[in-house]
Amino acid sequence: MKVLVIGSGGREHALVWKLRQSRRVSKVYCAPGNGGIADDAECLPANVKSVDSLLALANQVRPDLTVIGPELPLMLGVVDEFTRLGWRTFGPTKAAAQLESSKSFAKGFLQRHHIPTAPYAICNSMDDIQEALPHFHMPLVVKADGLAAGKGVVICKTKEEVASIAAEMLSGKMVGEAGSRVVLEECLQGDELSFLVVSDGERVAPLVAAQDHKRIGDGDTGPNTGGMGAYSTKTIVDEQMSQWLVQHVARPVVAGMKAEGAEYKGILYCGLMMTARGPMVLEFNCRFGDPETQPILMRLESDLVEALEASIDGRVSDGDFRWSPDASVCVVMSSGGYPGTFEVGKKIMGLEEAGKIEGVKVFHAGTSKRDGAYYTAGGRVLGVTARAADLRTVVDRVYSAVSKIGFEGINYRKDIAARALKKS
Ligand code: AMP
Ligand code: GLY
């Protein structure tokens, strides 16, 4: 079969890499892809912000299965349009994708369905902010309602800071239209967890859990990013907790969406904070996580195509995934300045040497290829990922690969999975 992957990041490289391993797949296309994906798939130009551009692509490629990587095409209703025209497509409809595309919708939904989440207020103006503020303790989290590529969340220490960040968001200066409505949310403490399930609209099957590292700096310092690294181990969530999360979070979400007339199919990514009061939902994403997908798919031993088709065909079961007990870690290498402004076009050295290390796969995110050489082309450039039987070995492997790679302005976190390592 022919598979089309939409997107251009490290997540999409991991999806392409895994889909290619399926015996059922004869050809993988990726649109628009990146420098590294071009080595594993046929990359085609596409504008992921335009449903028409993607439909034209489908007419050209005639895929048997399409997998959408990023949230934007989902929010624009690509799955609705592709499905209407007969293209088998993995992912939620526009209505279902609201769980990610509107934080105020997600918070209201969580409240309506009694799913644990932090107390919050929805504010459309500075008057609303002033009215809500006395009901909260500091620190307080200020969130843009719409999609902001991980950059629409600020944790504020004082009420003055809340007012100033909220004003910037509401005025459109900070994240544009996405900030025209703001959610204030109690700040939660604990370990974060990315718990992904695949849903067919009714049943869910969990993937192995992962932990992302959202802040730019070591020790979780500095601003939030799209994610600077992630790891997955068999102990990150035990069987009992996994069942609890399916029963108290994932299944109620899928049942609630169905009851509200927006059947949820595809990946449901539950971003959780494991607090002293129990797990609480921070956010939903309606797609695979980036960079979580890189370490998660490194541990997948069964055929990804089977699991994606089970979602489309309404026959998801726990048996859809078979996982390796190994640990896996992904370290993101980014351009200097990211998540702020950064330069691109820097030559990347050492990729071949890094890729030769046992158990290592270098996934490309923001790269381009010219005359056989790779150049930086985005904020997050590479996701160096490794797998091994134990976490110590995998961390050693991944950082040994990282040490081989260089480009001007390179930045990466030195402490991915460090806390888990200390605990183990
Ligand atoms: P979100 O896009 O809502 O997941 O927020 C991005 C990141 O901000 C999360 O992964 C957390 O690191 C942080 N964050 C969001 N909400 C909260 C909260 N209520 N308390 C503490 N940290 C939060
Ligand atoms: N790593 C967080 C995300 O994919 O949204």
Side-chain angles (χ1 to χ4, degrees):
M1 70 196 292
K2 290 188 286 185
V3 182
L4 170 63
V5 175
I6 306 290
S8 61
R11 163 186 53 211
E12 286 75 22
H13 196 182
L15 285 166
V16 161
W17 170 81
K18 194 71 215 173
L19 289 165
R20 253 177 66 132
Q21 293 170 16
S22 169
R23 253 187 248 127
R24 294 179 50 205
V25 172
S26 52
K27 175 93 186 172
V28 183
Y29 296 93
C30 187
N34 62 40
I37 293 178
D39 297 333
D40 290 326
E42 183 175 337
C43 290
L44 297 164
N47 176 4
V48 299
K49 294 181 189 146
S50 155
V51 177
D52 287 342
S53 154
L54 297 176
L55 277 175
L57 188 72
N59 282 320
Q60 179 192 338
V61 165
R62 311 195 70 76
D64 301 297
L65 171 67
T66 301
V67 185
I68 316 285
E71 56 277 23
L72 193 66
L74 294 167
M75 189 186 89
L76 296 175
V78 164
V79 173
D80 311 55
E81 285 305 301
F82 270 48
T83 306
R84 193 172 60 81
L85 293 168
W87 304 117
R88 281 165 66 72
T89 309
F90 175 79
T93 58
K94 180 177 183 167
Q98 265 189 98
L99 274 181
E100 175 170 3
S101 62
S102 167
K103 289 196 191 290
S104 56
F105 172 82
K107 292 297 281 189
F109 176 89
L110 286 162
Q111 199 173 40
R112 288 196 290 286
H113 296 280
H114 312 289
I115 299 165
T117 191
Y120 70 102
I122 295 169
C123 301
N124 293 305
S125 65
M126 285 311 287
D127 283 348
D128 291 353
I129 299 277
Q130 294 307 340
E131 205 173 299
L133 266 178
H135 301 288
F136 290 99
H137 298 290
M138 294 298 122
L140 188 61
V141 188
V142 183
K143 298 185 176 187
D145 185 50
L147 295 181
K151 291 154 207 153
V153 175
V154 183
I155 299 175
C156 298
K157 291 199 185 75
T158 63
K159 294 195 172 179
E160 291 69 34
E161 204 186 338
V162 171
S164 114
I165 294 288
E168 255 193 82
M169 280 188 187
L170 287 166
S171 71
K173 272 189 215 142
M174 199 161 156
V175 286
E177 188 57 23
S180 61
R181 176 179 287 165
V182 159
V183 177
L184 299 184
E185 192 178 292
E186 189 182 297
C187 190
L188 300 173
Q189 306 293 332
D191 274 336
E192 277 190 64
L193 184 75
S194 304
F195 185 72
L196 282 66
V197 301
V198 65
S199 164
D200 62 8
E202 214 166 307
R203 287 161 291 264
V204 301
L207 281 65
V208 287
Q211 190 175 63
D212 191 7
H213 294 62
K214 289 245 165 69
R215 306 292 196 94
I216 187 73
D218 285 352
D220 294 326
T221 52
N224 267 328
T225 68
M228 291 301 291
Y231 73 94
S232 177
T233 62
K234 61 177 189 274
T235 51
I236 200 168
V237 156
D238 61 22
E239 188 49 36
Q240 202 183 346
M241 178 53 81
S242 177
Q243 276 177 21
W244 193 95
L245 293 171
V246 165
Q247 201 180 334
H248 293 92
V249 179
R251 262 198 219 124
V253 170
V254 169
M257 290 301 281
K258 189 168 184 184
E260 295 194 11
E263 188 180 62
Y264 194 99
K265 283 185 168 205
I267 290 288
L268 175 69
Y269 166 138
C270 310
L272 302 159
M273 189 73 95
M274 309 304 269
T275 76
R277 287 175 284 163
M280 297 214 185
V281 175
L282 290 179
E283 65 162 342
F284 292 114
N285 294 322
C286 54
R287 47 166 176 85
F288 284 98
D290 190 347
E292 291 94 327
T293 302
Q294 292 82 312
I296 288 176
L297 291 187
M298 278 287 248
R299 294 185 56 202
L300 180 61
E301 297 203 316
S302 51
D303 188 343
L304 180 59
V305 171
E306 300 287 340
L308 304 184
E309 291 210 304
S311 162
I312 296 173
D313 296 334
R315 51 177 172 81
V316 161
S317 80
D318 272 343
D320 291 338
F321 295 111
R322 205 175 57 252
W323 301 100
S324 158
D326 284 2
S328 54
V329 175
C330 170
V331 175
V332 170
M333 306 191 80
S334 63
S335 298
Y338 172 81
T341 51
F342 52 84
E343 290 177 8
V344 296
K346 313 290 180 196
K347 191 168 185 180
I348 307 170
M349 316 298 285
L351 286 170
E352 207 177 317
E353 226 183 312
K356 278 188 196 146
I357 295 172
E358 192 189 343
V360 167
K361 171 75 189 167
V362 180
F363 293 113
H364 287 231
T367 71
S368 61
K369 193 176 181 184
R370 216 168 48 237
D371 302 327
Y374 299 90
Y375 296 85
T376 66
R380 292 190 292 174
V381 176
L382 300 167
V384 182
T385 311
R387 174 180 149 176
D390 65 279
L391 195 58
R392 176 78 264 164
T393 308
V394 73
V395 167
D396 289 346
R397 275 184 186 172
V398 80
Y399 278 106
S400 151
V402 160
S403 73
K404 309 278 186 225
I405 298 173
F407 55 84
E408 194 188 317
I410 200 164
N411 183 41
Y412 60 90
R413 279 184 61 163
K414 282 102 195 146
D415 65 343
I416 304 301
R419 265 197 300 166
L421 207 52
K422 236 185 233 164
K423 277 194 226 155
S424 67

